[in-house]
Amino acid sequence: MRLEIGNFYVKDMVFGAKTEFKDGLLTINKEEALRVVFEDEHITEADLYIVKPGDMVRLVPVKEAIEARCRIGGGPVFPGVTGELMQTGNGKIHAIKDSSILVVGKHWGGFQDGLIDMGGEGAKYTYYSQLKNLVLVADTDEDFEKREQQKKNHALRWAGMRLAEYVGKCVENLEPEETEVYELEPITKRSAEVNALPSVVLVLQPQSQMEELGYNDLVYGWDCNRMLPTFMHPNEVLDGAMISGSFMPCSSKWSTYDFQNFPMIKRLYKEHGKTINFLGVIMSNLNVALDQKQRAALFVAQMAKSLGADSAIVAEEGYGNPDADFIACIVAMEDAGIKTVGLTNECTGRDGASQPLVALDEKANAIVSCGNVSELIELPPMETVLGELESLARDGLSGGWSNDAILGPSVREDGSIIMENNAIFCGDMVVGWSTKTMKEF
């Protein structure tokens, strides 16, 4: 499979008469873009804003991030979700870089929603503060879930995807500034030189714990709770096959933008044929029952062994219950003779003294930590808030609280906040964006 991604780099973004991209300037026709949003009758209120790095703007509750793209030759950017099913990972797409579409609730947040600061001290905690963002702030008539801690956020998430396709169309007929090419030879057709290199498989565990449909990550529109571990070409992940769900504490989430640009996949591609033989991706799942966790781990290990993997990287989306899947998978791989590295965040408590993962095993002896979800973050008031700051404390956002006997409320009267890292949007960046490092004492 050969995927060509033609890139267009945004130097600035403004509202104007026509949605177009020219000389690094992305112009959005706001009225036209909002019509795309309101195609769903469940959207009751909506507005669009532009925020840029350094702006003193706080966004909460943030629900999704998506890269604007178009598929050259026709077809949806997200097959099985925004249009008919088709194979991804082959052909050409155009992508609008250094920018994203952010989806923010106008009133109601939930367990899975987060916070982004575009400027000030808080900006360092999330990758998305570095981008020029078109922000959709909207509300829906999905009253049944407004006061629920868990929300499917269906109307808002799908509106974001439609918006990403609408904006992406403006570069369809333009010549890209740069073209990235991602191509892997079939595993059995690789040269002797490539086959002589250490072989590596990437195992991804997207969020799929909710047995009720509508919360989990999607693969070609299929709920990942319904899947068994599946071998996928890495190009499929980069090309719209994977959609972020609406479950899991927000710092642990992988947004759709994260899937579209998965840094770990791109890093493995960079080393392919030089230092490693990159076999591809095993897309696994995260389960609830112990036998389901064990079954998935056995499938992954067998698949990796059959592919001829010498080594593996396992990355989990989430923490807590998913840690059991994560460790079980690493142990099964090690038992199969495959040297395995794990990528995860951890929950060590606000004092850092708790057990970092729910499950541990001595065979899981090479794990990269992407941060402590319970670490306290205190941020000053922000000049502008898009969304509703009160949602951080009121609506059960992981990382926020209405009141604490010692710390008081997450949202103070002056607009300053105290919360756990849990509430930073995609803040732990297990996919590979992270700029965090360990601190020595």
Side-chain angles (χ1 to χ4, degrees), residues 65-366:
I66 310 157
E67 184 170 81
R69 291 181 171 186
C70 66
R71 190 172 301 283
I72 306 305
V77 173
F78 305 107
V81 180
T82 58
E84 294 296 317
L85 274 171
M86 62 176 289
Q87 180 75 63
T88 72
N90 251 337
K92 297 180 180 181
I93 58 173
H94 283 177
I96 299 180
K97 312 301 288 188
D98 292 339
S99 69
S100 82
I101 309 297
L102 293 179
V103 180
V104 178
K106 184 168 184 177
H107 296 299
W108 300 98
F111 181 67
Q112 63 291 317
D113 299 334
L115 178 144
I116 294 173
D117 274 3
M118 291 300 298
E121 173 69 10
K124 70 182 183 183
Y125 290 101
T126 175
Y127 175 79
Y128 294 93
S129 64
Q130 303 173 41
L131 305 179
K132 295 94 176 171
N133 298 301
L134 178 64
V135 183
L136 168 63
V137 181
D139 197 15
T140 78
D141 64 3
E142 294 164 315
D143 296 331
F144 65 94
E145 67 176 15
K146 280 185 176 177
R147 290 177 175 81
E148 294 294 325
Q149 190 182 37
Q150 289 294 157
K151 294 176 174 59
K152 297 181 181 181
N153 288 320
H154 183 276
L156 295 180
R157 290 160 58 212
W158 262 246
M161 285 185 278
R162 291 195 306 277
L163 198 55
E165 290 189 329
Y166 161 77
V167 174
K169 272 284 190 182
C170 77
V171 297
E172 182 176 21
N173 298 314
L174 302 181
E175 190 66 28
E177 301 168 44
E178 169 196 74
T179 299
E180 301 174 56
V181 177
Y182 296 97
E183 185 173 17
L184 283 181
E185 313 90 331
I187 291 173
T188 60
K189 305 294 185 183
R190 297 180 183 176
S191 68
E193 291 77 16
V194 171
N195 283 329
L197 296 169
S199 55
V200 182
V201 67
L202 176 62
V203 180
L204 300 181
Q205 296 178 313
Q207 190 50 236
S208 53
Q209 284 182 282
M210 293 292 280
E211 293 179 337
E212 182 181 340
L213 300 181
Y215 296 99
N216 297 309
D217 293 1
L218 302 176
V219 53
Y220 286 106
W222 190 28
D223 194 295
C224 288
N225 184 264
R226 299 296 189 260
M227 70 181 288
L228 288 169
T230 302
F231 182 67
M232 291 182 69
H233 197 289
N235 289 6
E236 294 178 279
V237 181
L238 297 175
D239 189 20
M242 299 298 302
I243 299 297
S244 176
S246 190
F247 177 64
M248 208 62 229
C250 203
S251 70
S252 304
K253 280 179 64 171
W254 300 346
S255 71
T256 298
Y257 184 102
D258 287 340
F259 280 117
Q260 291 173 295
N261 292 278
F262 218 103
M264 184 54 63
I265 289 177
K266 293 187 175 183
R267 179 75 173 126
L268 290 167
Y269 252 118
K270 188 175 180 179
E271 295 301 319
H272 177 68
K274 299 174 184 176
T275 61
I276 63 167
N277 177 11
F278 180 27
L279 299 175
V281 173
I282 298 175
M283 193 65 67
S284 188
N285 50 354
L286 297 167
N287 304 280
V288 178
L290 185 58
D291 65 325
Q292 296 170 352
K293 298 174 186 292
Q294 293 170 334
R295 186 179 298 113
L298 292 174
F299 265 108
V300 170
Q302 173 276 125
M303 206 174 294
K305 190 72 173 177
S306 297
L307 290 168
D310 299 312
S311 56
I313 300 168
V314 179
E316 69 165 327
E317 182 186 8
Y319 68 92
N321 188 294
D323 294 343
D325 304 74
F326 176 68
I327 295 297
C329 185
I330 293 175
V331 169
M333 301 281 265
E334 290 283 344
D335 286 343
I338 300 166
K339 302 302 293 182
T340 304
V341 174
L343 303 178
T344 181
N345 56 11
E346 48 186 314
C347 185
T348 60
R350 293 174 184 174
D351 60 1
S354 300
Q355 179 172 306
L357 302 175
V358 168
L360 292 170
D361 192 285
E362 62 183 11
K363 293 176 183 176
N365 58 9

Side-chain angles (χ1 to χ4, degrees), residues 58 117 121-122 125 375-381 407 410 412 416-420:
R58 176 166 291 155
D117 274 3
E121 173 69 10
Y125 290 101
E375 183 177 350
L376 282 175
I377 297 172
E378 195 166 359
L379 298 172
L407 300 172
S410 270
R412 297 160 176 158
S416 64
I417 59 175
I418 184 169
M419 64 182 202
E420 292 182 351

